[in-house]
Amino acid sequence: MQLKAYLPPNWRLRSYLFQLAILTLVNFTVSYAGSYLIPYTSSPNFFEFSAIAFAAVISIQYGWTGIFGAVLGSFCFRFLQMPVEVALYLALTTGLSAFLFRYSFRWFNDNVVTLNEVSSVASFALVITPLVCAVHTICTHIILQKFDLLSSGISMFTLFKWWLEELLIAYLLVPLALSLSVKNTLHLSNQERTEMLALLLGMVSVSLLTIHFGQLFGFTVILILVLLVFVLWAALRFSSLVTHWAIFIAAMLVMMTVIFSDNEINTDSYQQTLLLVKIGLAVMILGGLFVAAAFSERNHVETELSKLANHDPLTGLPNRSYFQDFVSHSLSQAQRQKQQLYLLFIDLDRFKKINDSQGHEVGDAVLKIVARRLDNLLRADDFVARLGGDEFAVLYSHPKINKAASNLARKIIKIISEPFEIGDRTYSVGASIGISIYPDDADDANTLLRQADLAMYQAKSKQSGFEYFSEEMNALAHEQLQLENGLRQALEAKELLLMYQPKLDLRTNQVVGLEALARWVTKNGKMIGPDQFIPIAEEALSLIHISEPTRPRL
């Protein structure tokens, strides 16, 4: 038996090394930039201020590649300041913290990569981040003391201040970085943009006033309470991403007021003020995160409820009520823009046979395949819905051109008719399509839908694929409805009778039997032929029910 070592392909190895190099460089850059904040903190000069925050983010997003990138970036940063052995130990501490953060985050929040739920914020802010920051702070302290880079008289209060600074940086950067990594498009109306601008200007104005009249405003703690109002405003009105940005900007503005304050950095009053600022920042950040998560959860629940009310649970397409509302809205828009709207009513051919013979599970699978094909075929401006059963509808907008929906109808019939496999069997269905046009046929949603339905039945009876609605179809539908109602009344009035046609043996010229034929004779003596009422009876009534009243006359 031969053992072979697995070597990844060259392209995969190059991609991994490139990603690792980028993460290492970014981690080094963040650590180096964070060193400029050290004079305004209680941490020593060689304390990697922002290590845990960035290491946490890249470990969640990139797994082991992110953990190794955090280790290498940390090592490169510390190699510039201390011996290689110390730098290596501290880098491994950063890697351990990143590892703990990643797997504890995954354990508490399975398949969650953003902090949009109260439970995920609680586990992040109250359990994971405090514990991991404590591990990183304690390990860093032990290593620095072992190599005589710290005095042995460091108090627990000093360690607490180091831990609090790491904790604040993690609170500040991790939620924002995770929200940015999702790459959701932010859609804002003009009113929301104006409101965001007012929010930003308000935060900046209050901060500038605090810097200028610091003594009057009671230092920076008052500023934090005021900025908390702006953060809560963002949490109540906007998405989590905007709230995380508001928290980050508010924290930066607070740091600016600290940096530009008149207090001497090394004085006791400055250190006391700095501690109060840290505690105030923690309250502001946690308040914004929890409120944003609560409203994000509520919005998510409302969206899911709206989806359940307006979408078909099987295919995920909009349902009939949503489709009719959308058509009504589109009619108003088409009227203003002078456009034509085409409503295509689609009914599947041979679906009932598959559903009855193979069961509802196969039938449901067929409907899902058809829905997916329609959704992939249509443009983003088109609207497709499942009306119920095997019926679908499409709303198609186009400039005024005669019968512009013909090409789309042919494409729909072609793509639906393509065979598909379910399990180990191959199936195929067809489609009959009826088309009604705004403004030619009707100017309201219900009439357009009814007319497209009539055209669909005409296409199904002719087996022509698709048909446009015409007034002749409407007249024919009214006539068939009158015949159906009259036929029901004829059954009660016993206007149906049997007429007998003899059967002759041509060899002997003798009557050998009789053929019973149903005829409809109204009370005024008018004869309605079987070619008119028999097809209606086959579709709407039972022929057994028709034969019963005529049997006594035999």
Side-chain angles (χ1 to χ4, degrees):
M1 180 178 180
Q2 294 181 349
L3 297 176
K4 296 182 179 180
Y6 171 74
L7 294 177
N10 290 334
W11 64 268
R12 185 176 297 177
L13 182 60
R14 286 196 299 268
S15 175
Y16 173 79
L17 293 176
F18 177 76
Q19 190 179 64
L20 181 62
I22 293 295
L23 293 175
T24 301
L25 178 62
V26 175
N27 187 281
F28 172 82
T29 304
V30 171
S31 300
Y32 188 80
S35 64
Y36 286 95
L37 295 176
I38 292 296
Y40 304 98
T41 67
S42 304
S43 303
N45 292 333
F46 35 77
F47 199 83
E48 194 177 357
F49 193 60
S50 56
I52 188 60
F54 187 75
V57 173
I58 63 176
S59 65
I60 292 174
Q61 293 295 325
Y62 300 99
W64 282 102
T65 308
I67 294 173
F68 289 141
V71 172
L72 291 177
S74 176
F75 176 78
C76 294
F77 169 71
R78 285 180 167 128
F79 179 71
L80 302 176
Q81 300 175 310
M82 57 189 66
V84 175
E85 188 178 4
V86 182
L88 180 60
Y89 276 112
L90 291 177
L92 291 177
T93 301
T94 301
L96 174 63
S97 303
F99 172 84
L100 292 175
F101 202 104
R102 170 180 170 77
Y103 286 97
S104 57
F105 189 85
R106 293 297 185 189
W107 187 71
F108 278 99
N109 309 285
D110 190 25
N111 297 325
V112 176
V113 294
T114 57
L115 300 175
N116 290 333
E117 299 177 359
V118 174
S119 59
S120 61
V121 171
S123 61
F124 162 78
L126 304 180
V127 180
I128 299 172
T129 307
L131 290 178
V132 175
C133 288
V135 170
H136 184 259
T137 302
I138 293 172
C139 290
T140 303
H141 174 255
I142 293 173
I143 292 171
L144 293 178
Q145 273 199 338
K146 178 182 178 181
F147 289 95
D148 297 326
L149 294 176
L150 277 181
S151 61
S152 58
I154 297 296
S155 65
M156 292 297 296
F157 183 67
T158 303
L159 287 177
F160 168 77
K161 290 192 291 184
W162 294 358
W163 168 80
L164 183 59
E165 288 164 357
E166 271 204 351
L167 187 67
L168 286 176
I169 293 296
Y171 282 169
L172 188 62
L173 296 181
V174 173
L176 177 60
L178 292 179
S179 296
L180 291 173
S181 66
V182 178
K183 299 178 182 178
N184 285 334
T185 304
L186 188 63
H187 300 285
L188 296 173
S189 63
N190 291 332
Q191 180 181 352
E192 289 174 330
R193 291 191 183 97
T194 304
E195 193 172 349
M196 284 183 60
L197 180 60
L199 180 70
L200 179 61
L201 291 177
M203 295 170 67
V204 173
S205 301
V206 171
S207 302
L208 292 177
L209 288 173
T210 304
I211 293 174
H212 192 267
F213 302 104
Q215 297 295 330
L216 180 64
F217 274 76
F219 301 104
T220 314
V221 178
I222 303 298
L223 171 64
I224 294 175
L225 296 178
V226 176
L227 291 179
L228 176 61
V229 176
F230 288 98
V231 170
L232 295 179
W233 178 11
L236 294 174
R237 293 286 294 124
F238 302 104
S239 65
S240 297
L241 176 60
V242 176
T243 306
H244 297 161
W245 269 116
I247 293 172
F248 180 79
I249 293 172
M252 293 299 101
L253 292 173
V254 170
M255 288 301 302
M256 285 178 56
T257 60
V258 172
I259 292 172
F260 291 105
S261 65
D262 296 331
N263 294 332
E264 294 293 334
I265 293 179
N266 295 322
T267 61
D268 293 337
S269 62
Y270 177 84
Q271 294 299 326
Q272 292 174 359
T273 302
L274 190 60
L275 181 59
L276 292 176
V277 167
K278 294 173 187 176
I279 296 174
L281 278 176
V283 172
M284 182 189 71
I285 294 171
L286 292 178
L289 290 178
F290 275 103
V291 173
F295 275 86
S296 178
E297 273 191 2
R298 192 193 71 172
N299 293 336
H300 178 72
V301 170
E302 290 177 351
T303 302
E304 288 299 315
L305 290 176
S306 175
K307 185 176 181 180
L308 289 175
N310 296 317
H311 288 75
D312 172 47
L314 177 64
T315 61
L317 295 177
N319 57 19
R320 178 183 287 269
S321 62
Y322 188 16
F323 180 75
Q324 289 180 313
D325 292 341
F326 183 82
V327 172
S328 299
H329 175 74
S330 299
L331 290 176
S332 302
Q333 188 175 4
Q335 185 178 11
R336 293 192 300 268
Q337 298 179 355
K338 307 299 181 183
Q339 280 190 323
Q340 275 186 332
L341 289 180
Y342 295 86
L343 198 155
L344 286 73
F345 195 107
I346 306 168
D347 185 82
L348 302 183
D349 300 332
R350 302 185 300 277
F351 172 77
K352 188 176 185 300
K353 185 180 296 184
I354 295 175
N355 196 48
D356 293 343
S357 62
Q358 302 300 319
H360 293 294
E361 290 185 0
V362 175
D364 290 347
V366 172
L367 293 174
K368 290 179 182 178
I369 291 172
V370 171
R372 186 165 58 249
R373 289 181 175 182
L374 289 173
D375 197 35
N376 293 335
L377 173 67
L378 299 173
R379 306 172 305 177
D381 295 337
D382 302 330
F383 194 83
V384 59
R386 183 192 175 203
L387 303 182
D390 59 348
E391 296 175 343
F392 297 83
V394 173
L395 189 66
Y396 172 66
S397 61
H398 198 279
K400 288 189 175 182
I401 298 177
N402 188 29
K403 296 186 176 181
S406 299
N407 289 334
L408 177 61
R410 294 188 186 97
K411 291 179 181 178
I412 290 175
I413 294 172
K414 180 181 178 182
I415 197 171
I416 289 179
S417 302
E418 292 178 356
F420 50 85
E421 292 185 358
I422 300 176
D424 56 351
R425 299 192 61 177
T426 302
Y427 302 91
S428 66
V429 293
S432 297
I433 303 176
I435 306 172
S436 59
I437 307 173
Y438 167 84
D440 299 346
D441 298 329
D443 57 1
D444 67 277
N446 290 330
T447 306
L448 274 176
L449 193 60
R450 181 178 60 82
Q451 292 173 341
D453 192 8
L454 291 175
M456 182 274 296
Y457 277 106
Q458 187 75 4
K460 189 177 284 288
S461 63
K462 288 183 177 181
Q463 296 184 351
S464 57
F466 66 92
E467 291 285 339
Y468 285 87
F469 172 79
S470 64
E471 284 300 328
E472 291 78 8
M473 293 181 189
N474 206 10
L476 180 61
H478 283 292
E479 181 182 347
Q480 288 180 340
L481 182 61
Q482 290 177 353
L483 283 174
E484 182 181 333
N485 293 332
L487 187 58
R488 295 181 187 275
Q489 296 173 2
L491 286 173
E492 298 176 359
K494 298 183 178 180
E495 294 178 357
L496 295 178
L497 54 85
L498 289 177
M499 301 186 71
Y500 305 102
Q501 180 171 296
K503 291 183 178 181
L504 296 178
D505 188 342
L506 296 179
R507 291 175 298 178
T508 62
N509 202 27
Q510 292 182 348
V511 177
V512 295
L514 297 173
E515 182 181 2
L517 304 174
R519 293 294 182 264
W520 179 6
V521 180
T522 62
K523 290 182 179 181
N524 57 11
K526 180 182 178 182
M527 176 78 73
I528 298 178
D531 59 325
Q532 292 180 275
F533 73 88
I534 291 297
I536 296 176
E538 289 176 342
E539 181 178 352
L541 301 172
S542 172
L543 291 178
I544 298 176
H545 294 160
I546 293 178
S547 65
E548 289 294 334
T550 61
R551 187 175 298 171
R553 301 193 181 190
L554 183 58

